[in-house]
Amino acid sequence: MSDSEPPKPPSAVPPAGSISGSSKPPARPTSTPGAGSVLPRGTVPPSGTVPPSGTVPPSGTVPPSGTIPPRNTIPPSPDGTLLTSRYRLEQSWTLPVAERAGAYRVARRALTVVKPENIKEEVKKAQIRGRGGAGFPAGVKWGFLNPQKGQQVYLVVNADESEPGTFKDRTIMESDPHRLIEGILIACYAIGAHVAYIYVRGELAFSIDRLDAALAEARAKGYVGKRPFGTLHSIEIYTHSGAGAYICGEETGLLNSLEGRRGEPRLKPPFPAIKGVFGMPTIVNNVETIAAVPDIVAMGGEAWASLSRLEKDGGVRLYGISGHVKKPGVYEAPVGITMRELIEDFGGGMLHDDRPLKAVVPGGSSTPVLRPDWKVDAPNADHPLHEWHGKSEIDVPMGVDTYRALGTMLGTCCATVMDSSVNMVDACRNLMRFYKHESCGQCTPCREGTGWLVDVLENICAGRGQESDVDLLVDIANNMTGNTICAFADGTAMPLHGLVRKFRDEFLEAARTGLPDERSLDDSTRKQVVAA
């Protein structure tokens, strides 16, 4: 395959309404009860089952198929949700069900009535911050495009959901893939792209099957292809499976992998908007970011942005929560709810009433930890967190800028909750083992530093360490930060810094005596270990 040619589309596309050639969709995985489901407050699905199905809106609540809805209207949902409004419908991932609930009506209007520059302006007004972790404004990113004569623009959707503790994007791909496809159609039209790739983590076979089946349905209806909705703006969409490398979640590492190269990040600049996949201008957006585009266009950017509780960080988003809570899962809520609300109101509170909250990783494993007993120190009136001075860290609104001011990151907005049974040194070692395994090895500080962190932590946990090793961990992490091509090394160092800073006494105790004999395992896990 040459650098200038995109990979060929799949030779065989599953027939409309089928998945991998089967006439019946595969059953939803049942290994993790509740995980990956979207539920209203106060409900939880039975273990291993699909969330209870809802009903399609009654006839007359949405415009007839084929009509163009008026500006600023969207099909209503019974619970007022947007991104997850179709999750509860029976067979929600199929085109007939999705269309009855409003799918593709916004795209039809956008591609036939609205000018591309107006769509871009609405996305900018929406103030949607990238949902993949970096939090960069999507509308601003689209504005970086400046294709030269003869250049083809590409859209690449980052569905390589590899961040530990993160499982929100796969719910879109599995429960409502047509929402993602509709967002892609609108985005491609807005930025002038004729080809889009959805790069999916290889382990998400179920998501890939659902996407392929949905794309087959959309092609059969003429929504994807040479003349979507009768227009002359051809749009082809292909899924592309990765091989499960965490580093391919970094956008330029993803582009290398998409081209058939080794999944290693590229030096920037040039940025993908200037020189991306196949050397062409490319926009790389997260699944959730693109899935929000139809609602932004339907409502108008300012109206969508106003759904948020925060300024300069608009709309609604998906919040994931896992760990020691009663109702793990994915929930839709306005930008700016607090971690306390996420844990208590959505997550149902702590799993064990006699084991209080000890710490929470707010947005995937690379985000520094929060402690509920630590207070916000912002006495100056000009500090961005002054309003929350003296309050618990988990009472600060969850936003890109607020969490940066707090010394952490919102990241993927998927929290991992840990109760008092967890040994934080053991948790740190577990994280560092992951980063050592996933380092691509391109940069020496990252390749060597991740290994050194694991070695030092192994000595500490085994009782072979000394108190000075705690400072050694910090020194190693400092030498990794800012010295590599991509942010992987920083994403390794930041959680270590946070854990050592907020649980230093625990690290010093482990350096003196090693880990306690009683390991921090839940009963179910402990039984599995004993049985093995």
Side-chain angles (χ1 to χ4, degrees), residues 9-361:
S11 57
V13 178
S18 70
I19 297 180
S20 298
S22 171
S23 60
K24 184 178 181 180
R28 181 180 295 274
T30 60
S31 58
T32 308
S37 62
V38 177
L39 311 167
R41 300 187 187 192
T43 63
V44 62
S47 175
T49 64
V50 180
S53 60
T55 58
V56 177
S59 176
T61 61
V62 295
S65 178
T67 64
I68 299 172
R71 180 73 166 82
N72 294 331
T73 64
I74 55 175
S77 63
D79 58 1
T81 57
L82 295 173
L83 277 168
T84 61
S85 62
R86 299 198 288 257
Y87 276 26
R88 287 183 171 279
L89 304 182
E90 191 73 40
Q91 301 283 305
S92 63
W93 53 88
T94 61
L95 182 59
V97 173
E99 278 199 292
R100 286 199 298 271
Y104 295 107
R105 294 198 175 106
V106 178
R108 184 187 301 276
R109 176 183 181 276
L111 270 67
T112 57
V113 176
V114 185
K115 295 180 180 180
E117 55 267 28
N118 292 342
I119 295 175
K120 289 191 286 187
E121 184 61 27
E122 294 301 327
V123 172
K124 187 176 293 186
K125 290 178 181 178
Q127 299 185 34
I128 178 171
R129 309 289 287 267
R131 303 313 200 212
F136 193 82
V140 175
K141 179 183 280 191
W142 289 13
F144 291 158
L145 283 172
N146 185 28
Q148 304 302 304
K149 185 176 180 180
Q151 287 188 321
Q152 179 174 344
V153 175
Y154 288 93
L155 173 68
V156 175
V157 179
N158 189 342
D160 188 78
E161 194 169 46
S162 307
E163 182 76 4
T166 301
F167 47 93
K168 63 183 180 65
D169 290 341
R170 67 197 70 183
T171 68
I172 295 173
M173 294 185 283
E174 293 170 9
S175 295
D176 197 358
H178 287 287
R179 182 178 299 277
L180 175 60
I181 295 170
E182 183 173 15
I184 291 172
L185 291 171
I186 298 171
C188 282
Y189 172 70
I191 66 175
H194 294 278
V195 177
Y197 294 99
I198 310 172
Y199 184 100
V200 190
R201 182 170 176 84
E203 285 89 344
L204 303 183
F206 186 62
S207 299
I208 295 170
D209 286 345
R210 282 276 166 89
L211 281 172
D212 284 341
L215 281 170
E217 291 178 311
R219 287 193 185 99
K221 289 292 290 282
Y223 300 161
V224 175
K226 292 183 178 180
R227 299 197 63 184
F229 311 110
T231 68
L232 298 178
H233 189 97
S234 66
I235 300 174
E236 292 292 345
I237 306 172
Y238 307 112
T239 57
H240 186 95
S241 174
Y246 175 79
I247 196 63
C248 290
E250 195 277 336
E251 62 178 7
T252 60
L254 183 156
L255 296 179
N256 269 348
S257 176
L258 184 59
E259 292 178 354
R261 302 173 183 272
R262 184 181 176 90
E264 293 179 338
R266 302 173 181 176
L267 282 169
K268 293 183 288 189
F271 291 91
I274 304 301
K275 186 177 180 180
V277 70
F278 318 123
M280 297 292 174
T282 304
I283 292 296
V284 183
N285 281 138
N286 173 258
V287 166
E288 185 187 343
T289 305
I290 294 297
V293 169
D295 293 323
I296 292 171
V297 173
M299 296 178 64
E302 292 181 355
W304 191 87
S306 69
L307 299 175
S308 170
R309 298 182 185 178
L310 299 174
E311 295 181 357
K312 300 180 181 180
D313 197 346
V316 295
R317 67 180 305 156
L318 299 183
Y319 294 80
I321 185 168
S322 62
H324 295 134
V325 291
K326 289 185 173 68
K327 297 189 297 181
V330 174
Y331 303 89
E332 179 180 339
V335 170
I337 67 169
T338 67
M339 184 63 71
R340 190 183 300 277
E341 287 179 281
L342 181 60
I343 294 172
E344 296 180 358
D345 296 346
F346 292 92
M350 298 303 293
L351 181 62
H352 303 282
D353 294 335
D354 60 340
R355 284 157 50 174
L357 176 64
K358 182 175 183 178
V360 54
V361 178

Side-chain angles (χ1 to χ4, degrees), residues 423-425 457 459-461 463-474 499-515:
N423 183 288
M424 304 311 291
V425 183
L457 282 164
N459 285 336
I460 290 176
C461 293
R464 299 190 300 266
Q466 48 191 352
E467 291 188 6
S468 61
D469 286 343
V470 179
D471 291 327
L472 179 59
L473 288 172
V474 175
L499 287 165
V500 172
R501 183 168 70 92
K502 295 190 174 179
F503 295 94
R504 186 175 181 84
D505 290 344
E506 206 161 316
F507 278 81
L508 290 172
E509 179 63 23
R512 289 190 291 266
T513 63
L515 291 183

